[in-house]
Amino acid sequence: MTVSNAAIAAPQQNAAGISLELGISPAGHLHLEQVASDGGLLAPAAIGRIRKAFEHGADSGLLHLGASELSGALPPSLAFGREFAHLFMTRLCALPDLINLWTSLDMPAPRAELEKLLAGAPPMTGAEYLNLPCLELWWTGLQVAAHDEIAADDGDVQQWLASKHPSWNMVGRVCFHLAENKANEQAPFAFLATYAAGVTQQSRVQHLPLGRALQEYAGSDQRDALLRLLMPVHRASESCAWLKSLADSGALFQPIAWTPRDAHRFLQSIPIFEASGIVVRIPDWWKPHSPPRPRVTVNVGQRAAGIGFDAMMDFDIAFSLGEENLSQQEWEQLLAAGSGLVRLKGSWVEVDRAQLDAVLAHWKKVQRSVHDAGDGISFLDGMRLLAGAALDGAAQQDLPAAQAAWSTVVAGDWLRNVLDGLRNPDGALDISLPGAELKAQLRPYQQQGVHWLWLLNRLGLGGCLADDMGLGKTVQVLALLLLAKRESDPGPHLLVVPASLIGNWQSEMARFAPGLRLLTAHPSALPAATLAALGAEQFTQADVVITSYGSLLRLPGLQQQSWSIVALDEAQAIKNAGTRQARAVKTLKSRVRFALTGTPVENRLGDLWSLFDFICPGLLGTDKAFGRFVRRLEQAENPGYAALRKLVQPYILRRLKSDKSIIADLPDKTEVKAYCSLSRLQVGLYQDAIAGLGQQLASLDGIARRGAVLAFLMRFKQICNHPSQWLGDGAYAPADSGKFARLRELAEEIAARQEKVLVFTQFQEMTGPLHDFLQQIFGRAGCVLHGATPVKARKALVEQFQQEQGPPFFVLSIKAGGTGLTLTAASHVIHFDRWWNPAVENQATDRAYRIGQKKNVLVHKFICRGTVEEKIDALIEAKSGLSNEILAGGGEMLLTEMSNEALLQLVSLDIDSATEA
């Protein structure tokens, strides 16, 4: 694990201004983050203690949370860390021979309990990287930290435990045992209290009956030792009346035969014993957090009427024990046996007659209301019931938490098949993927993605394709649209994308799905009068209509049309539900809705609600109902987000480049073009430059002409980068550059993924403005390297960047940073401006893509549409004789030999495609 130096080094501020959270890196390592806060959860003293613990490393910090911060409210992520580490401490202290075992700790991680923790993990930075191997890595780290800290205390385990928290002191000395005594039908259980009397020559702790302790410590000089030994029993007795009675009578110090009622009372008191520092040994069939008990089983969706969110499902009540159904006769026999531990089918189970009666009455009431309605239960309510998410409107909302533990909701055959298909999209569907129509070979995970999209589409449900950037969300959606066309879905379908990505979608569609009829409803493609007149007649003549979020607000025809599929690209654009564009998107009329995004969608609950309000309207209730639901989660005694995750999981498909099954199927390097628009200021300056070049060409020749051409080519590049680079005014307002706007979109997604990026530019003067701009997005400083950077400083910059918690971005001039550096920490490379020589660009890219790189590298090449940049890129792509001559001649030099007419054509501006409206 690693710890963020930035968080540690930050000066202590007023608690009303800052708080602390846990974050997870893409490698699964834990770190401490400082976040803005309005105060309330963490007191300044707690902030200081937690910071100090994390200064010794994230393992020690996590151990501190579970061993020392036992009381007081914590932010959700820290509370999750505390629960995890507390589980570790409880398991550690339950080791009967911890006194000797600490020197070589090898305590296997409890997978079942970790899986339960994982399911209830709260939203936090990097939650998408949280999985079972990650928790097992933390578990190992805690063992190392515990070993090192005990060693620092000279191996005195009790002293170390006492230093963590008084409640841990003396843990492992007294042990309560419960065992079955099958020879006695009236008293089938036996209880024995023991204590650790010493260590044998085989280094095993020797347990003796607790009564022997009264003899061992009989002398007056041993009184304090006896009191220390019995202190955990005394603490437990204060909260457990029957234990106090046993201790006062002396029965505690003798073996006792117990009835099932006695044993059940003991099992219910285990949390008190463990909290007091008593080790508990019980039969393995009893799981304190999920004891064996019969349940009222609600079966939803055995069959369905209709499709989509309007579908209605049947609702039946049955009885079960574990995975096995119980007959009505078995159920009645069970209840007749009374409450407590009851023997059923050769096993002991817990029965609470009052709770079971109340649960059954609740579901009978719901069943009557469902049957009275006539059509069954709604799909939305059924999904909420299945997840256990008691949102307003769900039939489960009136069931108290204590009673919910005696009830379970299961999916019937129809619903189970649907959910299995969504959760496991690699299963075979009764349709073949597009072959000749799709001009691309889909990778296995992309085929799974198309299967998933098609299943949702066929069911009339929405979804979010949240694959990592670079995994091919676009081609998966194009395959879906081709399938829809082949299967006689007349469309039309609507794609809403950022204006900066319209060119990318047009290019990808022409390349991979040329059979789709495309209409681009955007000023870059159509005159204003034609746009304003767009309606059903024009839309229905196309298979796919592409528009921008901005155009959606200005073209009423888009809102009036009934669409088959609506898909949003960069769907984080609607994360703020209150914006005009979010409201406009949600009023679109469509049969099915999809969202595409490469940023985490479950880590900010407000963003999650807004996204689902589009793709699955009503599933998460109203914004107010969802807010109440989240507050109930946060205020619960044991906060857990498992119900919410279970509710939304079928509608989110997310694959990470770090997944072993994915990265093995990826090329080492993926190159994509990032098309950029021009701002109004850039357009004006570019047009002025064209006019100026025309005047110069008319009056110059020879060397003077060559010099003028080179100077103007440089000016065009500078204007495309940012007007301030050409004007020299030092302003560098982000709104004045289309490239800065595209860089923001990419950098925000990279930052959300906690990934690192190299940004290359030809111009030393651009490195500073780019750094300052990126620092605002990442919230941290990056590294800068150019020709003026001292040679001695280069190594330090590289070492900083290569650290996991080091700077998140590195801005380099392509001449200074294009060779001699190894920067494999980066998984993204951005060529902010083009060298117009692929060999030079590839050499720079290979700073990240080289030996030692374990990640797929995504290369983004910025191109301003409608400008000389796009035309030069087309020449390079075409591999024409002219492009070969240009490249062989070293870039721009041979452009000076072009005729005046050809040169002006090359630098001419296509103002419609260049501007973003």
Side-chain angles (χ1 to χ4, degrees), residues 658-917:
S658 56
D659 291 348
K660 292 181 180 179
S661 61
I662 300 296
I663 197 169
D665 191 43
L666 289 175
D668 296 323
K669 179 171 58 176
T670 302
E671 297 186 353
V672 295
K673 295 175 183 177
Y675 291 104
C676 310
S677 61
L678 296 182
S679 68
R680 287 192 175 90
L681 178 56
Q682 285 175 300
V683 168
L685 291 174
Y686 196 99
Q687 290 176 319
D688 290 345
I690 293 173
L693 176 61
Q695 294 174 1
Q696 294 276 358
L697 291 176
S699 59
L700 297 175
D701 56 19
I703 294 177
R705 181 183 182 278
R706 288 196 187 103
V709 171
L710 290 174
F712 271 94
L713 287 174
M714 183 67 69
R715 183 189 302 188
F716 288 125
K717 283 187 174 184
Q718 292 172 326
I719 292 169
C720 286
N721 278 356
H722 197 289
S724 292
Q725 187 183 0
W726 162 244
L727 297 173
D729 58 14
Y732 287 97
D736 289 341
S737 168
K739 282 191 177 181
F740 270 53
R742 188 71 186 104
L743 181 60
R744 178 186 294 279
E745 292 172 351
L746 281 176
E748 285 178 345
E749 189 167 343
I750 292 169
R753 287 290 187 193
Q754 299 181 77
E755 295 176 333
K756 296 194 178 192
V757 60
L758 308 180
V759 181
F760 285 101
T761 176
Q762 296 179 54
F763 304 97
Q764 179 174 325
E765 67 267 23
M766 282 300 300
T767 57
L770 284 172
H771 173 275
D772 295 345
F773 178 65
L774 290 170
Q775 183 174 3
Q776 297 173 16
I777 298 170
F778 283 90
R780 298 169 56 196
C783 297
V784 175
L785 188 149
H786 48 65
T789 304
V791 175
K792 293 182 179 179
R794 287 182 168 218
K795 182 178 180 181
L797 290 171
V798 170
E799 289 176 350
Q800 290 176 33
F801 184 74
Q802 289 292 92
Q803 294 175 5
E804 184 176 16
Q805 294 300 315
F809 64 91
F810 205 142
V811 181
L812 311 98
S813 67
I814 201 164
K815 282 187 176 180
T819 59
L821 300 177
T822 298
L823 299 167
T824 54
S827 52
H828 295 265
V829 174
I830 293 176
H831 290 288
F832 187 75
D833 43 58
R834 308 292 298 282
W835 189 255
W836 295 350
N837 187 329
V840 174
E841 287 185 346
N842 290 340
Q843 195 175 49
T845 295
D846 287 350
R847 299 314 94 211
Y849 165 58
R850 59 193 299 141
I851 295 173
Q853 176 60 276
K854 298 179 180 179
K855 300 180 287 289
N856 169 262
V857 177
L858 192 56
V859 184
H860 312 265
K861 298 181 177 182
F862 278 26
I863 301 169
C864 282
R865 299 205 69 189
T867 72
V868 64
E869 291 191 342
E870 186 174 31
K871 296 184 177 84
I872 292 291
D873 177 71
L875 287 175
I876 294 172
E877 285 292 312
K879 295 182 172 60
S880 67
L882 175 59
S883 69
N884 289 334
E885 290 176 6
I886 292 172
L887 300 181
E892 298 95 335
M893 183 58 68
L894 289 185
L895 295 177
T896 63
E897 305 302 320
M898 298 174 69
S899 68
N900 290 355
E901 182 180 353
L903 189 58
L904 287 173
Q905 180 63 35
L906 182 71
V907 302
S908 64
L909 180 66
D910 181 347
I911 192 167
D912 288 331
S913 64
T915 54
E916 177 180 322

Side-chain angles (χ1 to χ4, degrees), residues 433-466:
L433 292 173
E437 308 104 301
L438 183 67
K439 310 301 181 182
Q441 183 64 45
L442 294 176
R443 300 180 184 280
Y445 71 86
Q446 292 172 334
Q447 295 178 24
Q448 295 169 12
V450 178
H451 280 166
W452 181 78
L453 291 168
W454 178 252
L455 180 57
L456 282 170
N457 175 61
R458 193 174 62 182
L459 293 168
L461 306 175
C464 175
L465 183 59

Side-chain angles (χ1 to χ4, degrees), residues 572-644:
Q572 61 270 23
I574 65 166
K575 65 182 182 181
N576 186 341
T579 62
R580 288 182 62 214
Q581 69 182 24
R583 293 196 298 268
V585 161
K586 294 174 184 181
T587 58
L588 288 168
K589 294 179 286 185
S590 63
R591 182 181 58 84
V592 175
R593 295 174 169 186
F594 292 111
L596 313 179
T597 180
T599 60
V601 296
E602 296 175 84
N603 294 353
R604 298 290 182 271
L605 295 184
D607 301 354
L608 180 71
W609 179 85
S610 185
L611 185 71
F612 268 77
D613 191 41
F614 169 72
I615 61 173
C616 303
L619 183 67
L620 298 186
T622 65
D623 56 344
K624 292 182 179 178
F626 184 69
R628 290 192 293 270
F629 171 68
V630 171
R631 283 193 292 275
R632 288 198 299 272
L633 285 181
E634 294 173 344
Q635 294 169 4
E637 183 177 349
N638 296 306
Y641 295 82
L644 178 58

